[in-house]
Amino acid sequence: MCVFQSTINYFPEEVLEHVFDFLSSHRDRNAVSLVCKSWCRVERFSREKVFVGNCYAVSPERLLSTFPRVRSLTLKGKPHFADFNLVPPDWGGYLHPWIDAMVKARANLEELRLKRMVLSDDTLDLLAHSFPSFKSLVLVSCEGFTTDGLAAIAANCRSLRELDLQENEVEDRRGQWLSCFPDSCTSLVSLNFACLKGEVNLAALERLVARCPNLRSLRLNHAVPLDALQRILAQAPHLVDLGTGSFVHDPDSETYHKLKNAIQNCTSIRSLSGFLEVASRCLPSIYPLCSSLTSLNLSYAPGIYSNELVNLIRHCKKLERLWILDTIGDKGLGVVASTCKELQELRVFPFDPHGVGYTAVTEEGLVAVSAGCPKLNSILYFCQQMTNAALITVAKNCPNFIRFRLCTLNPTVPDAVTQLPLDEGFGAIVQSCKGLKRLSVSGLLTDQVFLYIGMYAEQLEMLSIAFAGESDKGMLYVLNGCKKLKKLEIRDSPFGDVALLADMGKYETMRSLWMSSCEVTLEACKKLAMKIPRLNVEIINENEQMEASTDDKQKVEKMYLYRTLVGPRKDAPAFVWTL
Amino acid sequence: MEAIVAHENDLNLKATELRLGLPGTDESEKESASCTKNNKRSLPECAEESAKNDDLDAQHGDCEAAPAAKAQIVGWPPVRSYRKNSLQQKKAEAETGFYVKVSMDGAPYLRKIDLKVYKGYPELLKALEYMFKLTIGEYSEREGYRGSEYAPAYEDKDGDLMLVGDVPWEMFMSSCKKLRIMKGSEARGLGCGV
């Protein structure tokens, strides 16, 4: 080993760089850069893809000076709980300073992937005009922009290959943004505008599809009717991923007949989604696709009723990923279990969580899938009820879970049969699934479940806790036990100062900690902020009374802390107080 | 430890307390404890009940999540707002049926019908004939509704007045905003042969 190490240091840097080229994951690259100074230098100068898990952990300028050849940037902004309305608007996560800095540094930006960030049309415009090689824009759960911003991207990014909009809130300006793709744009590989609410110019869309021979992924919004879909599919039989818009038509019509023919020709489709509006009588037209599908997302298609859903799924024997609504029911999940033997990821979303007389899925469905699908490794399951026995069975059936997220519709519901807390069930999960990286717990839970998590969840990186636990001990078990913990988010749980301050250095090994409606006081937060300078401890105070009263014994409603290299952020709004 | 102590106290209280719970309600200590243990940030309905009275059963009953409309907790269940908004809209449409107004020229008030109930045009037209006591007749592409002094029309998404029957039924369903039964000379303008 020693001989090898000294030998490799005599390699010229170009060779090292070439070796590092084979490292695609940023974690591997991070590890490599820690080996020694020369490796660090070679790695930094050759890194093209940079992942920033928290946009406030580092500044754009610092990033650019560390990685001058950055071409692809992934940025995440707001804390995860912002997805559930726990973070007030205008909290932050702005893209603009990043684009600004990259323009100034003359970076050759080609790809931008954003999650929970805020960007304006002006920023998109600047982006579109500043980077001639810009190829790929992926926006997930972002906001602040309109279709005018998209028009700027369409019109000016000559080499655009990918425009992927997932679940963003986009204001519709009726500006015909799709028509802004020039005739010279023929490079599109992926176009996803399913989340847009407004009409699109169908003729422009069809022409665009016709002139992009490399188009492989296309996801339409609800405004694209079935007849347009038919014409599009006729032009793009090589699609691999399709998201339909509106799927409503008269099955006796010629259009429908043409659609069936077009679909028969689309032999490459492996991923299907959409059906934002659907007439069930039209569904049989997609049966020919089902046998080769590996990914199916019907979670935005409440119009497909349980029995039709089941009929569809019976054809999908190769499915690896399934996203569905809980209208499928336990019986439907039984069909999934007996049909989809290759299933790896399942997400069951609630259709009507606050409805009356509404039967969602229960522990039965989960057990069935765990028994029938041996390759299952990732689950998100919203359910009416759960039992320890079921979770223990699931743990036995599926020891390979990497992600396990359970959400009971009533957050503190006990075991449906024994009325006991669900500690033992989740305990079985963490004990059995040695590779578990992400866990969300719910239901009635005491400190015991956290004892189990701390003891067994050695690979756990992200943990979400809500309405759980009894005392500081719960949180302490987790902080002491989970060595690889990166993100911890807690709401409405009785964890307080003792837990928060027990191991302050721990937070520098984590990306972030969120605590809301817990027992943490201002005094403790201040102590923590003072002790660990490389943390930003932010208090979100919507009442704006906190600074005035400065009663340190006061409980803090929302606290978000994260490690950072660059101190308190300068764009914090009035209701965010960095201690 | 604290929880056990609480149990013991509860037991004593229970022995002397008047119960208001339903007969046959399972009243194990664990159930009531599950509510009282649930710290100050208990679910809204629990908090309300405990403020009103000390009756453990009432607390328990509400905490056990009756299927009836619950007070909604911010951010629970944890579903992205984008998804929530999408499905909310569709849920509203699905539940309420697809009621459209039907006006008839000369009638003092309008009616409403649920388009979801009908499988196609013949059924719809029959229902309209029944409701308004008139005859609409047969549809033909060339002549419209020949032989009748009435013509069924509808207002579509763009606000245009269209003759019922031209487009496939599903397309009609998704674009029809309201119905209007036209009469007499105006109806003839739509191609009603006499």
Side-chain angles (χ1 to χ4, degrees), chain A residues 167 281 300 408 410 491, chain B residues 65 74 76 80 82 90 170:
Chain A
E167 300 191 334
R281 293 193 294 156
Y300 282 102
T408 53
N410 174 342
R491 61 167 292 187
Chain B
V74 173
W76 198 271
R80 268 191 193 153
Y82 172 82
K90 288 174 191 165
E170 268 92 356

Side-chain angles (χ1 to χ4, degrees), chain A residues 16-240:
Chain A
L16 278 179
E17 207 182 292
H18 185 66
V19 171
F20 295 166
D21 265 354
F22 291 99
L23 300 173
S24 48
S25 113
H26 66 270
R27 289 186 189 207
D28 288 342
R29 289 209 140 218
N30 288 348
V32 146
S33 65
L34 292 175
V35 167
C36 64
K37 281 201 175 124
S38 73
W39 279 38
C40 182
R41 196 181 63 248
V42 172
E43 197 286 312
R44 334 190 330 238
F45 281 102
S46 65
R47 194 186 300 209
E48 294 183 342
K49 283 196 177 156
V50 180
F51 170 83
V52 180
N54 173 6
C55 66
Y56 291 120
V58 69
S59 72
E61 292 75 25
R62 185 148 175 174
L63 186 105
L64 286 162
S65 68
T66 308
F67 303 111
R69 278 175 59 179
V70 59
R71 285 212 233 170
S72 162
L73 181 61
T74 301
L75 282 172
K76 293 190 179 183
K78 300 192 215 175
H80 178 229
F81 277 176
D83 276 349
F84 317 130
N85 296 337
L86 290 180
V87 175
D90 303 328
W91 174 88
Y94 303 108
L95 177 64
H96 199 89
W98 294 85
I99 303 297
D100 215 36
M102 277 188 276
V103 170
K104 291 198 174 97
R106 297 208 193 114
N108 183 20
L109 188 64
E110 292 181 2
E111 291 178 3
L112 192 59
R113 286 173 161 62
L114 305 177
K115 192 168 189 180
R116 280 189 289 274
M117 300 245 351
V118 178
L119 43 150
S120 65
D121 288 343
D122 286 342
T123 309
L124 283 172
D125 198 65
L126 180 60
L127 169 65
H129 283 103
S130 311
F131 306 110
S133 310
F134 193 74
K135 291 191 180 60
S136 164
L137 182 63
V138 180
L139 303 177
V140 180
S141 223
C142 296
E143 55 173 5
F145 61 105
T146 78
T147 47
D148 287 350
L150 298 178
I153 297 284
N156 299 293
C157 297
R158 303 275 161 87
S159 325
L160 195 68
R161 290 206 200 134
E162 181 177 25
L163 179 60
D164 185 357
L165 309 171
Q166 298 175 30
E167 300 191 334
N168 304 289
E169 296 286 357
V170 185
E171 193 191 310
D172 197 274
R173 287 271 173 91
R174 302 171 183 278
Q176 307 269 3
W177 67 276
L178 249 180
S179 319
C180 294
F181 280 105
D183 289 343
S184 54
C185 172
T186 57
S187 49
L188 274 185
V189 173
S190 166
L191 178 63
N192 172 7
F193 60 94
C195 66
L196 297 187
K197 301 197 177 72
E199 308 283 326
V200 287
N201 184 326
L202 296 175
L205 173 62
E206 290 169 35
R207 282 196 305 271
L208 180 63
V209 171
R211 66 176 183 273
C212 292
N214 298 325
L215 193 66
R216 293 293 172 269
S217 169
L218 180 63
R219 295 188 188 189
L220 310 168
N221 76 346
H222 76 99
V224 180
L226 194 137
D227 55 303
L229 174 66
Q230 175 263 309
R231 288 190 294 272
I232 287 169
L233 289 182
Q235 299 276 12
H238 301 299
L239 282 180
V240 169

Side-chain angles (χ1 to χ4, degrees), chain A residues 83-85 141 167 195 248-250 276 281 299-300 302 352-353 382 408-410 412 419 491 517 519, chain B residues 37-41 63-65 72-83 85 90-91 168 170-171:
Chain A
D83 276 349
F84 317 130
N85 296 337
S141 223
E167 300 191 334
C195 66
V248 175
H249 218 274
D250 177 359
L276 311 172
R281 293 193 294 156
S299 65
Y300 282 102
D352 185 12
F382 286 83
T408 53
L409 294 178
N410 174 342
T412 53
Q419 303 305 316
R491 61 167 292 187
S517 304
E519 306 281 322
Chain B
K37 227 191 293 182
N38 215 5
N39 68 67
K40 64 179 177 72
R41 308 265 186 234
C63 280
E64 282 303 296
Q72 294 185 20
I73 306 164
V74 173
W76 198 271
V79 171
R80 268 191 193 153
S81 349
Y82 172 82
R83 179 179 286 282
N85 296 339
K90 288 174 191 165
K91 191 198 73 162
E170 268 92 356
M171 199 183 279

Side-chain angles (χ1 to χ4, degrees), chain A residues 458-520:
Chain A
E458 291 175 5
Q459 303 300 320
L460 196 66
E461 295 179 5
M462 181 170 177
L463 178 61
S464 306
I465 301 170
F467 300 95
E470 303 159 287
S471 73
D472 284 324
K473 274 199 257 160
M475 187 169 163
L476 284 169
Y477 289 139
V478 171
L479 291 175
N480 291 335
C482 300
K483 300 293 177 216
K484 296 207 177 165
L485 195 63
K486 291 242 154 350
K487 290 201 283 186
L488 180 57
E489 47 186 23
I490 307 172
R491 61 167 292 187
D492 294 88
S493 301
F495 305 137
D497 298 347
V498 170
L500 183 70
L501 299 179
D503 178 5
M504 295 191 254
K506 170 91 176 170
Y507 305 122
E508 278 189 299
T509 69
M510 290 168 55
R511 185 185 299 169
S512 65
L513 167 67
W514 168 282
M515 291 181 76
S516 60
S517 304
C518 297
E519 306 281 322
V520 169

Side-chain angles (χ1 to χ4, degrees), chain A residues 370-435:
Chain A
S370 75
C373 307
K375 297 188 183 178
L376 196 64
N377 62 39
S378 170
I379 188 144
L380 170 60
Y381 197 74
F382 286 83
C383 56
Q384 186 84 333
Q385 63 184 52
M386 188 47 58
T387 64
N388 284 309
L391 286 173
I392 291 168
T393 306
V394 169
K396 233 184 287 180
N397 291 337
C398 292
N400 298 322
F401 275 119
I402 300 174
R403 278 173 236 106
F404 190 89
R405 296 198 274 161
L406 193 82
C407 286
T408 53
L409 294 178
N410 174 342
T412 53
V413 71
D415 181 312
V417 170
T418 66
Q419 303 305 316
L420 290 170
L422 290 174
D423 300 332
E424 297 305 312
F426 281 107
I429 296 285
V430 290
Q431 196 173 357
S432 164
C433 304
K434 308 225 185 296

